[in-house]
Amino acid sequence: MNEIDKKIEPFAPAVVITGATQGIGRALAEEFARFGHTLLLVARDEAKLAETARELSAAHGVEVRFAACDLSTAEGCAGVEAALRRFGLYADILVNNAAIMTAGFFQDQDVAKTRRLIDLDIGAVVDLTLRFLPGMVARGRGGVLNVASMEGFMPVPYQAAYAAAKASVLSLSRALSYETMYTGVRVSVLAPGTTATGLHAKAGAENSRYLVLLPAMTSEELARIAYRKFKRGKRVIVPGFFNRLGVIAMRFVPDLLLVPFVGWLFRVRDAEGNLQWPRPLKNPGSTSRRESSPASAERGSGLRR
Ligand SMILES: NC(=O)c1ccc[n+]([C@@H]2O[C@H](COP(=O)([O-])OP(=O)(O)OC[C@H]3O[C@@H](n4cnc5c(N)ncnc54)[C@H](OP(=O)(O)O)[C@@H]3O)[C@@H](O)[C@H]2O)c1
């Protein structure tokens, strides 16, 4: 930062990374730290955040701060801005990575959990981008890296809400990337294919065919590609040759074939290969949808061959 910039901006630049304690977010944090960036890590688990910050700071000699915020809430998103102010930092780069996934028949999903997915997977992306993008444009530098998914390019039976949220992230990012052209700010979207993290097991999808049949990238490999391409200003980053081939193929395969094939890949199964079937509604006459309760929030029931 030069002297004039310091007068305008008394704060120091930082990279804000959401969902930075594990999986892809953690690997991206490692990559940004490796290249000397100051970091603000965001997730909910404070102990894991503290541990990650300690490890990254020790390994790369950079300043690493953290903020424990539930980004599926408006207060959680506001908490990120407050944390930056508290640490004397501003968001030079925003990496919207945190997300959750749900799997199974849409009709069996828990209403509260599905709302949380939408609030986090697309709501927080919109909220945080709106908070920090105007400052970047005013400074004429910086960037946003949104983490979408290959699933954003197609309808995905049995992960319908998650894929819809990722399609929104892709659409938003591509539009913003155009709007910010010539401002000095880059907006990129990362669309990974299957990556070896805990995301799928948390959703109950760990035995689905796509995880068994498709090759998975490591988070570290993915983060290296993502960082390099983001810095080069690539707008849509699809890491891996086969993933890129898949995205091209999706443009040409008609929905009549694509959707049943994707459904076959993503159908939830148990460890023995039993397929999940829809759960019967106890009171079919009831007009209310399933609400969050310990029983209804259980995942992956109704499995049979
Ligand atoms: N893994 C894949 O195959 C794959 C493929 C394509 C795209 N992606 C995308 O890559 C991104 C990262 O996925 P991942 O596989 O690395 O997931 P992950 O291993 O499950 O990590 C998720 C991270 O998000 C944080 N998080 C979850 N809920 C949160 C909330 N409400 N508020 C704040 N932070 C929250 C978690 O920490 P806390 O639990 O402590 O909050 C954790 O740090 C996601 O956007 C995902 O959709 C993943």
Side-chain angles (χ1 to χ4, degrees):
M1 200 187 290
N2 63 36
E3 284 310 308
I4 298 167
D5 283 346
K6 272 186 193 158
K7 280 189 194 127
I8 301 168
E9 185 60 82
F11 295 100
V15 181
V16 177
I17 306 182
T18 71
T21 50
Q22 53 190 293
I24 294 169
R26 162 77 210 233
L28 284 167
E30 186 93 43
E31 207 55 23
F32 276 97
R34 207 156 69 82
F35 285 92
H37 293 272
T38 297
L39 304 182
L40 177 76
L41 312 179
V42 186
R44 289 166 304 173
D45 187 326
E46 192 156 10
K48 257 198 218 164
L49 277 166
E51 190 190 333
T52 310
R54 222 179 9 258
E55 286 172 4
L56 290 177
S57 171
H60 303 287
V62 293
E63 182 183 347
V64 185
R65 304 288 190 165
F66 61 89
C69 304
D70 181 350
L71 296 174
S72 66
T73 67
E75 301 74 45
C77 292
V80 178
E81 210 175 346
L84 279 169
R85 261 199 310 273
R86 203 167 53 247
F87 296 129
L89 301 171
Y90 70 86
D92 187 38
I93 294 175
L94 169 65
V95 181
N96 281 310
N97 164 79
I100 54 169
M101 172 190 270
T102 55
F105 282 87
F106 183 76
Q107 69 202 62
D108 290 337
Q109 299 302 314
D110 180 65
V111 177
K113 189 166 184 195
T114 308
R115 273 204 81 98
R116 232 175 10 256
L117 181 151
I118 297 299
D119 290 342
L120 177 67
D121 294 13
I122 177 67
V125 174
V126 172
D127 184 317
L128 294 176
T129 305
L130 257 180
R131 282 175 197 278
F132 301 128
L133 184 67
M136 294 175 193
V137 173
R139 285 185 291 270
R141 62 164 181 259
V144 179
L145 175 61
N146 288 331
V147 183
S149 166
M150 286 266 291
E151 290 193 36
F153 290 108
M154 58 195 172
V156 181
Y158 315 113
Q159 291 190 10
Y162 174 78
K166 292 299 177 183
S168 304
V169 174
L170 264 168
S171 172
L172 177 83
S173 311
R174 290 167 66 193
L176 296 187
S177 149
Y178 181 82
E179 283 187 28
T180 53
M181 213 166 23
Y182 310 124
T183 64
V185 178
R186 64 176 71 102
V187 178
S188 299
V189 60
L190 173 65
T194 310
T195 312
T197 72
L199 181 78
H200 310 273
K202 282 185 245 172
E206 67 274 26
N207 298 306
S208 295
R209 288 188 183 95
Y210 74 98
L211 284 177
V212 180
L213 299 178
L214 304 180
M217 214 176 237
T218 65
S219 298
E220 292 71 26
E221 199 182 348
L222 172 65
R224 270 194 302 276
I225 298 170
Y227 181 88
R228 198 177 62 237
K229 298 209 168 169
F230 173 63
K231 284 289 179 173
R232 275 193 210 147
K234 184 141 180 67
R235 291 173 184 187
V236 180
I237 306 165
V238 180
F241 175 73
F242 285 105
N243 292 333
R244 281 198 296 282
L245 210 62
V247 172
I248 293 167
M250 273 179 240
R251 292 202 189 120
F252 298 104
V253 178
D255 271 11
L256 199 68
L257 297 174
L258 180 68
V259 180
F261 176 64
V262 175
W264 181 81
L265 277 177
F266 282 77
R267 183 81 176 262
V268 171
R269 304 187 313 159
D270 68 10
E272 281 79 48
N274 300 315
L275 293 176
Q276 184 191 51
W277 295 87
R279 278 183 288 165
L281 203 57
K282 277 206 186 91
N283 177 9
S286 162
T287 51
S288 73
R289 297 296 309 140
R290 285 182 180 84
E291 291 295 343
S292 191
S293 70
S296 66
E298 262 176 30
R299 63 186 172 104
S301 63
L303 289 154
R304 64 185 156 91
R305 223 175 263 280

